[in-house]
Structures are given as C-alpha cells and as structure tokens.
Amino acid sequence: MSRRPAPSEHPAPGGTTAVVGDRVLTLPNLISLVRLAGVPLFLYLFLVVRADVVAIVVLAIGGTSDWVDGWIARRLQQVSRLGELLDPLADRLYILATLLAFTAREVVPWQFTAALLARELLLLGSLGVLRRYGYGPPPVHYVGKTATFLLLAAFPVLLLAAAAPGAATVAGAIGWGLAWWGLVLYWVAGAMYVVQASRLVRAMRARRAGAAA
C-alpha cells in the first residue's frame, strides 16, 4: 500500500486495466449517490410511516444494486477516487442504518447488531492506527465484498419474514442463513484488514528504526 495518493488500476473488460481517475460526474458515482439517498428514505418508510412493503422494495434495490456501480465503472472505464469512497460508504450506511432500524423494531436481536457493530469498531481502530503512520484505508477485499453482499441480500428477506406472516418460515430461514454467513465473513474480512494493518505498521516501525540507527 502506498503512503501517497497515486493512480491505481482495476481489471477492465478485454484484459485491459482501468486507471483510477479524478472524475466526479460519472454514471457510477450518480448510482452511488442515489443509493446513499435511499438510506434516509428507507429509515423514514420503516420507522416513521411504517410502510413495510415499500421499505422492503427500497432496501432490496439499494442492497442488491451494490455491485452495479462497480461493474459499470469498470465496463465504461469510469473508475474514480470518489467512487472508491462512495461505494463502501453506501454499503456501510445501508448495513448500519438497517441494523439499527431492525433492532428498534425487533426484526433482529440486539446481539446480532452488537456483533456487527463490534466489527465496525475494530476496523475503525485499525484505520486510525494506519492514518497515524500516513496510510490510507486498505483496499476492499473480495471476502469483505462477499460479506457485504450477503448482508444486504439478507436484510430485505428478513424484513419480508417480519412483515408477511405467511412467508415467515421460508423467508426467515433464507434470510437468517444469508445473515449468519454474512456475519462470519464480515469478521473474517475484518481480521484480514487488521493483519494487513499490523504488517504495514511493523514495516514502518522497522524502516524508522533503521533510519535512526
């Protein structure tokens, strides 16, 4: 991981690489902004209006479209630094907002929410340590993306199970299956980020010790 901002590369269709640029007005960034706008809309529908069916639709669109902005960015070669920030930000906001709302209405137990929030606190601590040594956040790992996808897919199914008693048995089984796998992989990805951060910190300390000797 570089300590200075530099153009990075992502695989693009046709075996080429897509260079990360500084463009702001791109289609993938617009999709990410729309996903971000869906977070307060979901909270309003779910907690204030109690329009559970519409809330399910908003949550399903926002969650399952997680991969769309990244796929379009690579396809159209519109990968940008802003997009690399917006995409994980939208994912985390959807997860955190949904967890808090679901806990408030007892769709999920508080223990499940606490387990996910504890992982976020662990990651925040690791990011704080990295910033002290001049590093930015580590690149998103496919394990983390898989965990995020599973969680975002699980939430609308769990909400369906709570809102539609006739579908509770099947939807609950599917939703909790996705949710628990997502939780496990979320922690696996978090552990990988911590290991990566610790290696970077040790390497930096070794370089500083060598320079001072």
Side-chain angles (χ1 to χ4, degrees):
M1 180 186 301
S2 173
R3 298 182 66 220
R4 298 173 56 188
S8 57
E9 296 180 342
H10 295 276
T16 61
T17 56
V19 178
V20 178
D22 296 318
R23 295 178 61 187
V24 174
L25 298 177
T26 65
L27 179 58
N29 289 348
L30 177 61
I31 294 174
S32 294
L33 289 173
V34 171
R35 292 184 66 224
L36 284 171
V39 174
L41 176 60
F42 162 74
L43 291 175
Y44 174 76
L45 292 170
F46 187 64
L47 295 177
V48 180
V49 183
R50 298 292 182 102
D52 290 353
V53 175
V54 184
I56 290 174
V57 174
V58 172
L59 189 60
I61 293 175
T64 56
S65 62
D66 169 44
W67 61 274
V68 174
D69 47 3
W71 182 84
I72 292 178
R74 292 186 295 271
R75 189 75 177 180
L76 300 181
Q77 298 190 26
Q78 292 182 350
V79 179
S80 66
R81 291 185 178 88
L82 178 61
E84 289 185 333
L85 293 174
L86 289 178
D87 186 33
L89 175 62
D91 292 343
R92 278 189 168 80
L93 284 179
Y94 263 102
I95 290 175
L96 293 177
T98 304
L99 277 175
L100 295 177
F102 277 18
T103 305
R105 288 190 51 183
E106 300 182 346
V107 176
V108 300
W110 66 266
Q111 294 91 339
F112 185 84
T113 301
L116 281 174
L117 292 180
R119 187 269 193 186
E120 290 298 317
L121 291 175
L122 175 67
L123 194 58
L124 282 175
S126 300
L127 291 176
V129 173
L130 285 175
R131 291 188 184 280
R132 286 178 53 193
Y133 286 87
Y135 290 103
V140 178
H141 196 275
Y142 75 91
V143 175
K145 291 296 292 183
T146 302
T148 299
F149 176 81
L150 289 174
L151 290 171
L152 293 177
F155 291 150
V157 181
L158 290 175
L159 181 53
L160 176 63
T169 302
V170 175
I174 295 174
W176 279 114
L178 293 171
W180 284 113
W181 272 109
L183 176 62
V184 171
L185 290 181
Y186 214 52
W187 269 98
V188 170
M192 294 172 66
Y193 292 139
V194 170
V195 170
Q196 184 179 3
S198 63
R199 288 175 178 172
L200 289 170
V201 170
R202 285 198 300 268
M204 176 56 65
R205 288 176 175 173
R207 284 197 295 268
R208 289 181 177 179

